[in-house]
Amino acid sequence: MFGTALSQLRYGMAILRNRSIRPQDLDRIARDLVATLAEFGEPGADSALLPGQAGQVDPEIRRTVTRRSLRATARAAVRHTSYYHRIFGELGLDPDSLTTETWSQVPVTPKKALRGLPTAFVSTAATPALMALTTGTSGTPTAVWYSRAELDTTIAFSTISAALGLGLRPRHTMAYAGCSRATLPLINAEESTTRVGASFVQFGTIDPVVALDRLAAPLGLPGKAPQITHLTTSASYLSALVQHAEQDGWRPADFGLESIGVGGEVLSGPLRERAEAAFGAPVSTSYLMTETLPSSGTPCSRGHLHHTTEFGHLEVLDPLTWSPTGPGGTGMVVHTPYVPYRECTLLLRYATGDLVRLPDAEPDCELAHLPATSTILGRWSGPLSATVPTRDVLDVIEAEPDVPLPARYTLTEEPDGGVLLHLLVRTLPAATLRRALEGRIAASGMAVTGLVLYDDRSAMPPTGPVRADLREHAFQPVPQAAARMGSGA
């Protein structure tokens, strides 16, 4: 107990002084938390350890901490990275004079700059250990270097989240159905799951039919639940699982799932409902990025996404002018991960490409003390992506069971200013489906003026890739439909 208190004290002092975090202190805290849960059981609903239950920070203290953190991060970036040393030198900026009010003087860092020369953002004071790649579905994969200390710190935070947020316990088994190219999420998932005492299974993005078969298969492991209890995946791969589960007659009773976590892509409301009906488990989502870890976003009961403040600085800016987005407006998440949480790849005002909408008024939910946005609306690809964001489209088309999943669609602008939604369907003419979709579009208020249906993807305008397309082939034969119907046969 004394050792844990000492670790907590060291960690707190490092944060207050913006000094390097001892990973072993966080690891000690995480391991003792797991041991405490094993001995004393679940925390109460009002536990300060749970999201939303921690006390609010005095606004003046928060402003002071933010100012210190921004200056410390900018100072490290200017001293130790070639990119920011050049930028600050050209503009004559002094990192030690920056405040929250003058932070906008720092130029926004475009994603293409990090993709083009990732080593220009690597601190000369750090020891790079792992190059973490993103999946690259929106273009060239982004490379972010992590030190060993950063990895240990991130894993410790993930372990705490797995124990408290996901409720993982030793009887559980987690299946990870994500692309193996996404290095850091895979490492964090495996390490945090096993440190809690639960078991971990790496699926990868294999054929969804094979994945369903593995989810339903008995484990026969001592001390474990009879089947896989937790699934982590992307929204598009989940949609592929839902598609085959609905078509092939699977029932919730065929699985032992207790929780499904989705990340990396927009999860629509209809897909969440269909997945919960198909698998009999609640579906949740959160917001994490390889570039900005350990900062994260947590949904509340009112539908907001609340962003942590201790790990980084959040801004929501107009993607064209980089001016602040006003209440009710749509803008891009621009993020600055703080030192000492980050020490290898340093980023200032990083343009994530993720679009959100700001609330019209101050939230009054259980997480109101944290900055709030909408859930992620989609990726910025130009003004049309903000006018008709991905979430609005998916909320319409994924509500129709006759639209094949993952949904394949694209938007085009007409010379007269109209917007056409091009959508792949199973067969044409699909008159009933067309009427249903047109009715949903009208009811949603989405700025789409026309709907064009196709039964041949090659005849469509180009559609963007999704994470479910990053298929990892397996030698295991695809089960025949009759053999995989389970209790739904």
Side-chain angles (χ1 to χ4, degrees):
M1 183 66 71
F2 177 76
T4 302
L6 189 58
S7 294
Q8 291 173 333
L9 178 61
R10 287 198 191 103
Y11 171 67
M13 292 301 294
I15 300 309
L16 288 175
R17 297 179 178 181
N18 288 111
R19 294 185 177 176
S20 297
I21 297 171
R22 284 167 37 108
Q24 57 266 41
D25 289 333
L26 271 175
D27 182 67
R28 175 70 179 267
I29 294 169
R31 292 182 184 277
D32 285 354
L33 169 63
V34 171
T36 300
L37 291 173
E39 181 175 357
F40 296 103
E42 304 298 318
D46 59 347
S47 172
L49 292 172
L50 296 174
Q53 298 297 339
Q56 298 187 30
V57 178
D58 180 87
E60 186 57 38
I61 294 177
R62 174 172 289 177
R63 282 191 291 270
T64 300
V65 172
T66 298
R67 183 176 64 253
R68 288 178 179 174
S69 297
L70 288 175
R71 287 179 177 176
T73 304
R75 189 184 310 121
V78 172
R79 288 178 179 175
H80 302 302
T81 73
S82 60
Y83 183 87
Y84 293 111
H85 181 78
R86 176 180 60 83
I87 293 291
F88 274 62
E90 291 176 351
L91 296 176
L93 290 177
D94 176 12
D96 288 318
S97 67
L98 291 170
T99 66
T100 52
E101 290 75 23
T102 62
W103 185 242
S104 60
Q105 296 177 11
V106 179
V108 170
T109 302
K111 187 181 287 282
K112 65 181 180 181
L114 178 60
R115 284 179 174 168
L117 193 59
T119 54
F121 297 86
V122 175
S123 170
T124 57
T127 303
L130 174 74
M131 185 179 73
L133 288 172
T134 62
T135 56
T137 48
S138 58
T140 304
T142 304
V144 183
W145 280 96
Y146 278 79
S147 68
R148 181 69 254 180
E150 285 175 311
L151 291 175
D152 291 340
T153 297
T154 301
I155 289 168
F157 281 128
S158 296
T159 302
I160 294 171
S161 177
L164 293 177
L166 292 179
L168 278 179
R169 298 295 180 264
R171 62 176 292 272
H172 293 141
T173 297
M174 165 75 77
Y176 184 86
C179 176
S180 299
R181 183 190 297 169
T183 321
L184 197 59
L186 176 57
I187 292 174
N188 278 339
E190 184 275 329
E191 285 285 342
S192 60
T193 299
T194 54
R195 290 189 183 200
V196 168
S199 299
F200 183 83
V201 180
Q202 162 65 351
F203 277 15
T205 49
I206 54 177
D207 190 302
V209 173
V210 175
L212 289 172
D213 202 51
R214 292 184 183 179
L215 287 173
L219 291 175
L221 297 174
K224 302 296 180 182
Q227 295 168 290
I228 288 170
T229 57
H230 290 65
L231 172 66
T232 295
T233 189
S234 64
S236 61
Y237 192 76
L238 177 64
S239 73
L241 294 176
V242 168
Q243 173 88 85
H244 287 282
E246 292 176 344
Q247 286 183 352
D248 298 343
W250 289 101
R251 295 181 179 178
D254 296 325
F255 307 101
L257 287 171
E258 299 177 15
S259 175
I260 299 173
V262 177
E265 292 176 315
V266 173
L267 174 68
S268 72
L271 178 59
R272 182 199 297 265
E273 294 171 2
R274 289 172 68 177
E276 290 178 342
F279 298 110
V283 178
S284 62
T285 186
S286 59
Y287 179 60
L288 294 164
M289 286 190 74
T290 296
E291 299 97 308
T292 61
L293 280 173
S295 293
S296 63
T298 302
C300 72
S301 60
R302 301 288 185 87
H304 307 121
L305 185 66
H306 293 267
H307 302 260
T308 53
T309 57
E310 64 266 42
F311 305 132
H313 183 60
L314 171 76
E315 299 174 84
V316 180
L317 306 180
D318 184 297
L320 294 174
T321 65
W322 300 126
S323 59
T325 300
T330 297
M332 183 189 296
V333 173
V334 173
H335 194 82
T336 301
Y338 290 151
V339 299
Y341 300 101
R342 298 296 295 273
E343 65 176 20
C344 197
T345 293
L346 302 180
L347 297 169
L348 306 179
R349 304 193 83 200
Y350 179 68
T352 65
D354 293 325
L355 294 173
V356 293
R357 188 174 294 117
L358 290 180
D360 292 310
E362 288 295 323
D364 59 356
C365 55
E366 71 274 16
L367 296 177
H369 58 283
L370 295 175
T373 67
S374 69
T375 51
I376 303 300
L377 302 177
R379 302 282 297 176
W380 169 259
S381 58
L384 183 58
S385 61
T387 304
V388 188
T390 299
R391 178 172 299 280
D392 290 358
V393 177
L394 293 180
D395 279 343
V396 166
I397 62 181
E398 290 185 336
E400 290 296 332
D402 289 334
V403 173
L405 300 177
R408 307 294 180 174
Y409 77 93
T410 191
L411 298 167
T412 59
E413 292 184 270
E414 296 299 289
D416 62 358
V419 176
L420 295 182
L421 170 60
H422 304 261
L423 177 65
L424 182 67
V425 298
R426 291 191 177 89
T427 59
L428 291 176
T432 302
L433 176 58
R434 173 182 289 279
R435 287 193 296 271
L437 287 168
E438 289 175 341
R440 290 185 183 276
I441 291 172
S444 71
M446 190 165 53
V448 169
T449 55
L451 176 65
V452 186
L453 302 182
Y454 303 80
D455 60 1
D456 179 3
R457 189 177 176 186
S458 64
M460 297 177 64
T463 61
V466 295
R467 295 196 178 193
D469 295 331
L470 293 167
R471 193 60 56 84
E472 300 174 32
H473 298 288
F475 293 110
Q476 178 179 344
V478 177
Q480 296 300 310
R484 63 173 183 263
M485 295 277 282
S487 65

